[in-house]
Amino acid sequence: MSGNGNAAATAEENSPKMRVIRVGTRKSQLARIQTDSVVATLKASYPGLQFEIRDKILDTALSKIGEKSLFTKELEHALEKNEVDLVVHSLKDLPTVLPPGFTIGAICKRENPHDAVVFHPKFVGKTLETLPEKSVVGTSSLRRAAQLQRKFPHLEFRSIRGNLNTRLRKLDEQQEFSAIILATAGLQRMGWHNRVGQILHPEECMYAVGQGALGVEVRAKDQDILDLVGVLHDPETLLRCIAERAFLRHLEGGCSVPVAVHTAMKDGQLYLTGGVWSLDGSDSIQETMQATIHVPAQHEDGPEDDPQLVGITARNIPRGPQLAAQNLGISLANLLLSKGAKNILDVARQLNDAH
C-alpha cells in the first residue's frame, strides 16, 4: 500500500464511524465546482467519512467592497467558529500572510495557470494582436492590464467586474468589449473550453501568484484535519507556489499592484521568473532565477513539525525542498528590489489608491 493509502487507513481507524467533515465554500458556480472536485478526491481517500458542503451567502450590500477578500473573511469566520472544518479557495485569492489561527493545509495539483482571451462572438478567430485599433479589452486585474498595455499598445483596457458568468454575459450581450481576459483554469473548470480564443504565453502576460491552484484553508491547530487534507498536496505545485508566494510576500506586493510570475520545474531545477510593472506598463523590471530542488515523494521523510511557510503547512512533504523554494522566492524579490522595484510598486500603489 502506498504512503497515501496508509494515511487514509490510519485516519479512518482513528475516526468515529461516519464522522462528518464540514466543507465551506462560496455560493458561486465556480467555487462549488472547485469544492466538489476537492471533496471527490477526499471521499476516494476516506470512504469511511461523510462530507457536507456548506455555502456561505454574502450580504449583497457588502459584496460591492472587495468581494473576494470579504468572502475569505466570512469563510474564515465560519472556520473560527467551528461551523466548518475546511474551506476551498482559489490559491491566488489567499494572502501570503494569513490571520493568526489559520493555515493552508493543502495545495492541489495546479491546472493551466495562464490567462486566456475570450472574444466577443464577432471577433472569434482573432488574437489580441489582430483586433482592430482601439478595441476595448475587459479585465479587472491591474497585473494583466499593465503587461498587456505594454505588449499591445493599439488596444484599450477597461475594468470589468463580476463572476465568470456575469463577465461573459457582459461580453456577449453588450457591445462595449471586443474581448475579456480570464484565468484559463476557471474557464476549464466550468467546462467552457470552447470559449478560450487565445492562451497568453509568459512573454505576453505572466500569471498571478498561485493562479490555477486550489488551496485548502484549515484551523492551524486542528491536527486531525491537517492530517486528513495532507493527502491533497501535490509536491511540484506546492514548491512552485511556495516560491511564488515568498517572492510576493518579500516584495510586499498584493492585488493593488501589478506583480506577476512564471515558474517551471525541469530536471531538478525550479525556475522562477518574476516581474513588477507600473500601472500603465511603461516601467517594468523582470528577472529569472533558479535553484536545485528535487520534487519529493509524499511521506518520504515522515511527518515534519515545523511551522508554516508563507501561510502553508505541509508536514508530509520534506522540509528541505520547501525551504529551498522559499529562499528562491526571497532571493528573486531581493534582486528586483535592488533594481528599483520598490519605487515602481510604491508609485503604482499610490496611483491605485487615488482611484
Side-chain angles (χ1 to χ4, degrees):
M1 189 185 268
S2 72
N4 280 13
N6 283 332
T10 310
E12 272 192 63
E13 284 156 19
N14 295 339
S15 301
K17 207 69 189 142
M18 292 312 277
R19 179 184 169 193
V20 177
I21 306 297
R22 301 152 306 161
V23 183
T25 183
R26 293 165 56 177
K27 200 171 181 65
S28 84
Q29 194 183 351
L30 179 60
R32 185 59 193 246
I33 287 168
Q34 292 179 166
T35 301
D36 285 346
S37 73
V38 168
V39 167
T41 308
L42 287 171
K43 277 180 175 168
S45 296
Y46 306 103
L49 295 180
Q50 265 190 316
F51 293 86
E52 181 185 290
I53 296 175
R54 299 191 175 180
D55 292 332
K56 290 297 285 181
I57 308 168
L58 192 61
D59 181 298
T60 47
L62 285 175
S63 68
K64 309 263 187 300
I65 330 158
E67 193 176 315
K68 283 177 183 166
S69 60
L70 275 172
F71 263 116
T72 303
K73 285 192 180 75
E74 283 278 297
L75 290 164
E76 284 173 346
H77 192 50
L79 262 180
E80 192 172 31
K81 291 195 298 186
N82 206 19
E83 292 171 1
V84 297
D85 300 301
L86 57 111
V87 175
V88 179
H89 299 276
S90 293
L91 184 62
K92 69 184 172 76
D93 295 340
L94 284 173
T96 55
V97 181
L98 296 186
F102 302 105
T103 189
I104 299 164
I107 293 183
C108 309
K109 188 172 174 60
R110 189 176 220 166
E111 294 203 32
N112 187 328
H114 300 285
D115 289 316
V117 188
V118 179
F119 292 93
H120 185 283
K122 70 180 177 192
F123 291 118
V124 167
K126 294 272 189 191
T127 64
L128 288 182
E129 202 159 4
T130 59
L131 276 177
E133 190 85 20
K134 295 272 184 275
S135 292
V136 175
V137 178
T139 174
S140 58
S141 157
L142 298 174
R143 168 188 62 80
R144 291 170 181 148
Q147 292 181 80
L148 294 171
Q149 279 178 100
R150 187 184 176 97
K151 197 80 185 170
F152 304 102
H154 71 293
L155 302 176
E156 202 179 303
F157 293 88
R158 226 175 265 170
S159 179
I160 185 168
R161 297 281 169 193
N163 61 29
L164 280 185
N165 307 59
T166 306
R167 291 183 202 192
L168 282 174
R169 197 164 56 248
K170 284 181 181 175
L171 171 69
D172 292 342
E173 294 176 8
Q174 300 170 10
Q175 298 305 311
E176 184 182 356
F177 299 102
S178 302
I180 58 175
I181 316 291
L182 299 166
T184 304
L187 289 163
Q188 289 178 338
R189 288 184 186 123
M190 294 285 273
W192 293 338
H193 305 74
N194 62 326
R195 293 304 309 261
V196 176
Q198 180 182 2
I199 289 180
L200 296 171
H201 298 294
E203 314 81 60
E204 298 166 312
C205 190
M206 291 198 290
Y207 43 82
V209 165
Q211 186 160 309
L214 299 179
V216 181
E217 190 176 18
V218 302
R219 290 178 289 274
K221 290 189 163 56
D222 195 338
Q223 196 51 57
D224 270 7
I225 298 293
L226 271 167
D227 290 344
L228 182 114
V229 300
V231 300
L232 297 165
H233 269 306
D234 176 66
E236 180 176 318
T237 303
L238 170 76
L239 296 174
R240 286 172 62 188
C241 290
I242 285 176
E244 293 172 16
R245 285 170 66 83
F247 169 72
L248 181 65
R249 181 196 273 190
H250 203 68
L251 277 179
E252 296 182 348
C255 292
S256 62
V257 287
V259 175
V261 293
H262 172 65
T263 48
M265 190 78 81
K266 196 178 176 194
D267 303 328
Q269 296 287 310
L270 175 56
Y271 296 86
L272 171 64
T273 302
V276 301
W277 286 260
S278 57
L279 288 188
D280 65 358
S282 60
D283 210 357
S284 75
I285 303 172
Q286 289 177 66
E287 292 292 343
T288 302
M289 291 181 84
Q290 69 194 77
T292 303
I293 299 177
H294 294 287
V295 178
Q298 248 184 332
H299 302 276
E300 194 177 82
D301 290 358
E304 295 272 359
D305 294 321
D306 295 287
Q308 44 182 298
L309 294 181
V310 285
I312 300 162
T313 300
R315 289 191 175 93
N316 54 347
I317 305 288
R319 187 73 171 170
Q322 292 187 59
L323 286 169
Q326 177 181 252
N327 290 339
L328 175 62
I330 292 169
S331 298
L332 184 64
N334 281 332
L335 178 59
L336 264 65
L337 289 168
S338 74
K339 289 174 176 266
K342 188 177 187 314
N343 187 47
I344 292 176
L345 292 177
D346 285 347
V347 171
R349 199 174 278 114
Q350 284 160 11
L351 284 171
N352 190 46
D353 289 348
H355 289 289

